[in-house]
């Protein structure tokens, strides 16, 4: 077996199951899960229809590169969403459909990391756990940048020493962040592109929450937006990852894309050809329908706004919790140990959250997730309100 497998830590939800495994919650209260970030809003009916209308494509082998219609729909969406000038994103060279960002982030790391070098994969801390596992199994060393409240829950990139940038092969960004919901500002994106040029590393921007924001008049920027403002039409060293899971409430479709630097996309396509992960044709055609429609995405944001408004009205008087820049998470400060809080809340109120320390790594004696919990506002509005009310009651009795 690959000895690197022994370096993998238990996934956060395995730790959570172990924490709660022997706890008996209040029998008179139904379970409400705010733990797993799985969208629960209704999937768009027109996407399901597009899938059903093309079930005859089950008899067709899909290509790894994907249908031109899908790549074109993705490119046009990127132009509209991130103000990328028309023609910059060549559907043949800059865009690759993938089976969701989780699979793609892992595979991308295997393809990009040069095992011959003593390389680092740099990521925020706390972080989406795939970044770490992908780095370890690619033979690289994970390097964690703390995301602390005093820096807006973003890494302090100015504090990163040159020695780290010199060894960096991939810099993972997550904006809006999981679990913090923080956005990486445009000026910071531009600064990081300059650093990538100086030290020759790849920026891999995980933007799967990019469509969950609050101000309809000011969609948050992404890495492609920064490239557009810089006139960087080749997207050199810049690659973005997007998904229909959160944007369109289609986590089971397993559909997303990677876009950016053609000199990186080309060998990644070669890797994927051997990897055997082509998206089924009927899924691609359903994805075309999803990327071409924004009405359902706006309705999705409206539902999350309503949940944030209601839950924060209940919790802010009793808890240190703020509205994030985006995503569907709350990154709340709790009294005492976050794991103890999670266990006691589950026992008393049958509400499940995730300890922040389970989503982070301790570096130099500090775990930036300690003393916080992540709450995913994915349940229906009434359930989110009930969970918040139970949490308020729980806090008032501590």
């Amino acid at each position: 077996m690959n000895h690197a497998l022994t370096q993998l830590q238990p996934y956060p939800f395995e730790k959570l199951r172990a924490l709660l495994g022997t706890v008996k919650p209040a029998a008179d209260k139904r379970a409400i899960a705010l733990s797993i970030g799985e969208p629960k809003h209704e999937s768009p009916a027109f996407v399901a229809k597009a899938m059903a209308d093309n079930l005859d494509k089950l008899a067709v082998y899909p290509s790894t590169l994907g249908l031109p219609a899908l790549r074109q729909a993705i490119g046009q969406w990127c132009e509209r969403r991130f103000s990328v000038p028309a023609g910059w994103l060549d559907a043949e060279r800059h865009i690759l459909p993938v089976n969701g960002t989780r699979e793609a982030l892992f595979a991308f790391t295997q393809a990009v990391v040069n095992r011959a070098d003593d390389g680092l994969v740099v990521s925020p801390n706390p972080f989406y756990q795939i970044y770490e596992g992908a780095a370890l199994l690619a033979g690289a060393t994970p390097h964690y940048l703390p995301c602390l409240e005093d820096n807006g829950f973003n890494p302090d990139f100015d504090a990163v020493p040159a020695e780290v940038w010199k060894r960096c092969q991939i810099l993972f960004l997550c904006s809006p962040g999981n679990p913090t919901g923080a956005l990486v500002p445009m000026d910071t994106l531009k600064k990081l592109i300059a650093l990538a040029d100086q030290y020759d590393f790849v920026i891999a921007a995980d933007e799967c929450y990019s469509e969950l924001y609050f101000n309809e008049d000011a969609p948050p920027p992404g890495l492609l937006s920064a490239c557009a403002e810089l006139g960087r039409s080749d997207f050199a060293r810049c690659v973005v990852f997007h998904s229909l899971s959160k944007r369109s409430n289609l986590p089971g479709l397993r559909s997303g894309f990677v876009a950016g630097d053609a000199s990186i996309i080309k060998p990644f396509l070669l890797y994927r050809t051997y990897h055997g992960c082509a998206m089924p044709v009927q899924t691609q055609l359903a994805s075309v329908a999803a990327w071409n429609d924004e009405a359902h995405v706006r309705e999705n944001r409206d539902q999350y706004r309503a949940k944030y408004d209601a839950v924060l009205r209940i919790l802010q008087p009793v808890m240190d919790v703020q509205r994030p820049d985006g995503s569907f998470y709350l990154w709340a400060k709790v009294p005492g140990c976050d794991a103890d809080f999670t266990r006691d809340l589950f026992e008393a109120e049958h509400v499940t959250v995730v300890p922040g320390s389970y989503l982070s790594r301790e570096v130099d004696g500090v775990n930036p997730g300690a003393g916080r919990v992540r709450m995913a506002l994915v349940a229906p509005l009434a359930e989110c309100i009930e969970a918040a009310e139970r949490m308020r009651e729980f806090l008032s009795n501590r």
Side-chain angles (χ1 to χ4, degrees):
M1 297 297 293
N2 183 345
H3 76 278
L5 288 169
T6 63
Q7 298 176 271
L8 299 180
Q9 297 202 29
Y11 213 65
F13 299 111
E14 294 179 43
K15 295 182 181 179
L16 183 62
R17 280 192 291 272
L19 176 70
L20 304 180
T22 60
V23 178
K24 293 184 178 179
D28 60 335
K29 296 179 180 178
R30 65 191 180 103
I32 300 180
L34 304 181
S35 48
I36 299 179
E38 180 182 71
K40 299 297 185 183
H41 297 168
E42 187 176 356
S43 300
F46 67 88
V47 176
K49 184 177 186 303
M51 174 80 83
D53 288 347
N54 289 284
L55 289 182
D56 61 314
K57 303 300 189 296
L58 286 167
V60 179
Y61 272 124
S63 72
T64 307
L65 182 59
L67 298 173
L70 175 56
R71 286 181 277 113
Q72 289 163 6
I74 291 168
Q76 290 164 1
W77 179 78
C78 289
E79 290 174 0
R80 295 191 301 270
R81 173 61 179 84
F82 297 107
S83 301
V84 177
W88 279 23
L89 280 170
D90 184 340
E92 296 294 323
R93 300 171 55 246
H94 295 116
I95 298 169
L96 189 59
V98 296
N99 296 309
T101 52
R102 178 173 179 162
E103 175 268 323
L105 289 162
F106 182 88
F108 184 81
T109 307
Q110 312 313 302
V112 170
V113 165
N114 184 348
R115 294 171 181 266
D117 295 336
D118 182 24
L120 300 178
V121 170
V122 180
S123 79
N125 187 25
F127 57 94
Y128 183 41
Q129 305 295 293
I130 296 302
Y131 309 155
E132 177 187 75
L136 292 170
L137 290 174
T141 301
H143 183 85
Y144 311 103
L145 304 180
C147 300
L148 303 175
E149 185 174 11
D150 58 8
N151 199 53
F153 296 111
N154 274 315
D156 181 0
F157 294 107
D158 293 333
V160 178
E163 290 72 23
V164 170
W165 293 128
K166 288 176 183 176
R167 293 178 57 199
C168 179
Q169 294 195 21
I170 300 175
L171 168 64
F172 277 118
L173 303 178
C174 188
S175 181
N178 173 9
T180 67
L183 288 171
V184 179
M186 175 67 85
D187 288 347
T188 301
L189 292 171
K190 292 178 180 178
K191 181 189 302 183
L192 293 172
I193 290 173
L195 285 167
D197 287 344
Q198 180 180 354
Y199 293 103
D200 192 23
F201 59 81
V202 176
I203 303 175
D206 178 359
E207 299 178 357
C208 70
Y209 297 95
S210 71
E211 304 316 287
L212 304 185
Y213 54 88
F214 302 105
N215 186 349
E216 291 293 333
D217 296 324
L223 191 60
L224 295 181
S225 311
C227 287
E229 288 201 5
L230 290 169
R232 199 177 183 89
S233 60
D234 60 357
F235 309 101
R237 300 182 181 83
C238 296
V239 178
V240 299
F241 296 75
H242 282 267
S243 168
L244 291 173
S245 295
K246 278 75 175 179
R247 172 191 183 270
S248 298
N249 302 309
L250 292 165
L253 195 66
R254 309 313 306 137
S255 178
F257 70 85
V258 179
D261 187 337
S263 69
I264 298 172
I265 297 294
K266 183 177 180 180
F268 185 41
L269 171 60
L270 174 63
Y271 175 90
R272 295 181 67 76
T273 302
Y274 280 84
H275 192 198
C277 49
M279 187 187 298
V281 175
Q282 66 274 13
T283 302
Q284 293 188 52
L285 293 170
S287 301
V288 170
W291 289 115
N292 282 337
D293 182 78
E294 289 297 323
H296 76 283
V297 187
R298 289 190 291 271
E299 292 172 4
N300 193 34
R301 285 194 290 270
D302 287 343
Q303 293 187 64
Y304 283 119
R305 284 192 197 97
K307 287 192 275 191
Y308 273 111
D309 290 345
V311 168
L312 288 173
R313 272 196 300 269
I314 297 166
L315 289 182
Q316 282 186 327
V318 297
M319 187 181 225
D320 184 352
V321 59
Q322 308 301 322
R323 187 187 299 266
D325 296 324
S327 81
F328 49 45
Y329 299 117
L330 286 174
W331 187 233
K333 189 177 291 185
V334 297
C337 169
D338 51 293
D340 290 348
F341 179 93
T342 298
R343 184 193 60 237
D344 294 347
L345 173 66
F346 180 75
E347 182 176 33
E349 300 295 342
H350 212 167
V351 173
T352 311
V353 297
V354 181
S357 58
Y358 289 11
L359 303 170
S360 311
R361 293 290 176 262
E362 182 176 310
V363 179
D364 297 329
V366 177
N367 184 317
R372 291 186 177 271
V373 296
R374 190 190 77 174
M375 295 178 268
L377 300 187
V378 293
L381 174 61
E383 283 193 23
C384 287
I385 291 173
E386 184 178 347
E389 290 173 340
R390 292 192 206 173
M391 198 173 300
R392 178 178 62 190
E393 178 70 15
F394 173 75
L395 286 163
S396 69
N397 293 327
R398 281 177 76 85

